[in-house]
Amino acid sequence: MKRPTPLDTLRELRERARQEEQARLAARIEAEKQAERAEQLARQLLVERASSADSIRTSERRRLQSAGITAADGLRRVAWEGAERRAVEQLSSDVARAIARRREAEREQERTRLALERAHAELEEVERRLRQREREARYKSEQAQQEALDEAAARRFSERSDA
């Protein structure tokens, strides 16, 4: 079995780091998708609530126009409007938080993508160095073999010349 060189060990470490970064990137992408879905849901709830409130307000206005408004109706309407305003403010706040979470997820995904690119570039550099060292070792080996062959040929020539 071939004994691993320090560069082989470094290459394996870089490869593992690259795989971990890819896993983190996939997780960040999924987190961004979830944040985007949460934002869409919050927006949808806000739109539905606003639409529902508008239809209730319209039907209540028609009812009151035909039947007249009493003090109790006015108080109920003021209370309902206040509750509706608070609900819409809460939903708007939920949308804002969902947007902030999505943007943060996007930033995290981008940071992870850049880290993955760096790890990939570092791995390529290690692999380039390994290939260079292998070429150098092969060249030195070939050079040593050629020198040995040259010396053997020179000895044979010398032996033939002397004979």
Side-chain angles (χ1 to χ4, degrees), residues 79-112:
W80 180 83
E81 289 286 344
E84 190 61 28
R85 188 174 46 258
R86 285 188 299 278
V88 168
E89 287 171 0
Q90 178 62 44
L91 289 173
S92 296
S93 175
D94 291 348
V95 168
R97 280 193 301 279
I99 289 170
R101 282 192 301 271
R102 181 186 48 82
R103 287 182 181 153
E104 180 58 30
E106 287 172 348
R107 285 189 293 273
E108 280 297 317
Q109 188 257 348
E110 182 63 16
R111 280 192 289 267
T112 304

Side-chain angles (χ1 to χ4, degrees), residues 143-153 155:
Q143 196 174 24
Q145 284 178 340
Q146 187 62 44
E147 287 175 7
L149 289 173
D150 290 347
E151 285 179 24
R155 267 194 313 268

Side-chain angles (χ1 to χ4, degrees), residues 103-151:
R103 287 182 181 153
E104 180 58 30
E106 287 172 348
R107 285 189 293 273
E108 280 297 317
Q109 188 257 348
E110 182 63 16
R111 280 192 289 267
T112 304
R113 186 188 62 75
L114 291 173
L116 179 61
E117 287 176 3
R118 272 193 312 277
H120 183 68
E122 289 170 357
L123 178 60
E124 285 179 348
E125 178 62 21
V126 168
E127 289 174 343
R128 186 191 64 76
R129 286 183 201 160
L130 281 172
R131 286 190 301 270
Q132 179 65 29
R133 286 202 178 168
E134 287 171 0
R135 280 193 299 271
E136 289 171 0
R138 203 172 31 252
Y139 177 75
K140 287 179 183 178
S141 172
E142 290 170 359
Q143 196 174 24
Q145 284 178 340
Q146 187 62 44
E147 287 175 7
L149 289 173
D150 290 347
E151 285 179 24

